[in-house]
Amino acid sequence: MEKNQLGDILNFYRDLGVEYLNIKLKKEKKSSKNTFFYLEKLKREVENCKACELYKTKKHYVFGDGNPNADLMFIGEAPGANEDEQGLPFVGRAGKLLDDLLKEIGVERKDIYIANCLKCRPPNNRDPQESELKACRSFLDNQINLIKPGVIVTLGRFALMQLLGNDKKITQSRGIVFEMGIYKVIPTYHPAYLLRNPKAIEIFVNDLNVAKKYLRI
Ligand code: SF4
């Protein structure tokens, strides 16, 4: 709230004869202007990255996309063919399914931020290698620390392991709320898995509802 807005409100109540107000000022979570600026700076760093061999075979770096002020952040594995083509995350069939399932819990794509562990597509969608995940890790950590979401939902086993450790199994960890520093992390299935196993959609939506309970805004 601007200082002069607060002054106007206090004058309004004083004119009404009110002598005492118990006002709690809400602290701004962060400046979205600064977050946007630093995300753009980080994006330029990613676009010059040659820290692993994947930069040679990708078409586009896929940095991440969404609301820099989001309280809910999704982390996937790596760009697929559509993402590599367009330079944006989750724009293929799996992304469309994610959008539809988000709507079921009353959340829209514009409200969230989404990024992958790897910013370059592994050839033929092969699994990410440990050395690649390690090389790309600092970009993801910086994105998380700039966005400062209340809740992070990891999609699939690689995002789960990247954030919470290699010993974690998706079937045992999904839907559980883990604490990672100041962040709540809730693992669930990758939307690409849901395309192959539609029976798991209900579980996925339940996990999203768990995440929704912990949102601060
Ligand atoms: Fe760099 Fe990550 Fe791309 Fe590897 S995947 S080249 S670490 S941006």
Side-chain angles (χ1 to χ4, degrees):
M1 187 185 295
E2 298 287 337
K3 222 174 175 179
N4 49 0
Q5 280 180 297
L6 179 62
D8 289 345
I9 290 168
L10 291 175
N11 285 338
F12 172 77
Y13 281 105
R14 194 179 51 206
D15 291 348
L16 288 176
V18 176
E19 290 181 347
Y20 175 76
L21 276 178
N22 184 7
I23 297 175
K24 277 188 189 158
L25 289 177
K26 198 175 156 194
K27 200 175 163 212
E28 286 293 318
K29 187 181 153 213
K30 61 202 160 185
S31 158
S32 56
K33 218 160 124 190
N34 282 349
T35 308
F36 179 79
F37 171 80
Y38 286 112
L39 280 172
E40 284 299 303
K41 200 165 167 271
L42 185 63
K43 187 177 178 186
R44 283 196 292 278
E45 282 176 39
V46 165
E47 287 169 353
N48 286 305
C49 179
K50 295 179 178 172
C52 79
E53 296 291 299
L54 293 180
Y55 83 94
K56 291 181 183 167
T57 48
K58 58 102 189 67
K59 283 188 183 159
H60 291 102
Y61 290 97
V62 181
F63 176 68
D65 189 42
N67 185 342
N69 218 21
D71 203 34
L72 179 57
M73 180 171 181
F74 285 83
I75 299 176
E77 180 179 318
N82 289 299
E83 289 75 20
D84 188 35
E85 201 65 53
Q86 297 184 43
L88 289 167
F90 285 84
V91 287
R93 281 176 64 221
K96 169 81 180 60
L97 178 61
L98 176 64
D99 290 352
D100 291 345
L101 298 177
L102 279 172
K103 277 185 199 146
E104 282 197 24
I105 63 152
V107 173
E108 292 194 44
R109 184 73 168 256
K110 68 175 175 53
D111 302 322
I112 65 159
Y113 194 91
I114 192 156
N116 284 308
C117 296
L118 293 184
K119 313 306 185 199
C120 301
R121 182 190 181 204
N124 304 315
N125 291 351
R126 65 153 168 75
D127 284 350
Q129 291 171 1
E130 210 174 318
S131 59
E132 294 160 352
L133 288 165
K134 210 169 159 193
C136 217
R137 173 73 197 240
S138 66
F139 292 132
L140 181 63
D141 287 343
N142 284 334
Q143 278 174 306
I144 294 170
N145 290 329
L146 284 170
I147 292 157
K148 291 196 173 35
V151 180
I152 297 170
V153 175
T154 59
L155 302 169
R157 72 185 168 109
F158 284 98
L160 162 68
M161 292 192 300
Q162 183 78 329
L163 260 70
L164 297 175
N166 286 344
D167 58 327
K168 293 281 182 296
K169 302 271 180 284
I170 189 88
T171 43
Q172 290 150 16
S173 305
R174 55 136 291 276
I176 295 175
V177 184
F178 293 88
E179 305 279 341
M180 188 185 82
I182 59 168
Y183 306 110
K184 301 228 172 332
V185 180
I186 298 158
T188 191
Y189 296 124
H190 195 285
Y193 173 80
L194 304 179
L195 289 171
R196 299 190 300 273
N197 300 279
K199 281 185 185 161
I201 286 179
E202 197 181 331
I203 299 171
F204 181 88
V205 173
N206 287 343
D207 294 346
L208 291 188
N209 273 315
V210 172
K212 196 179 168 188
K213 273 192 220 153
Y214 289 89
L215 295 180
R216 298 168 298 195
I217 47 177

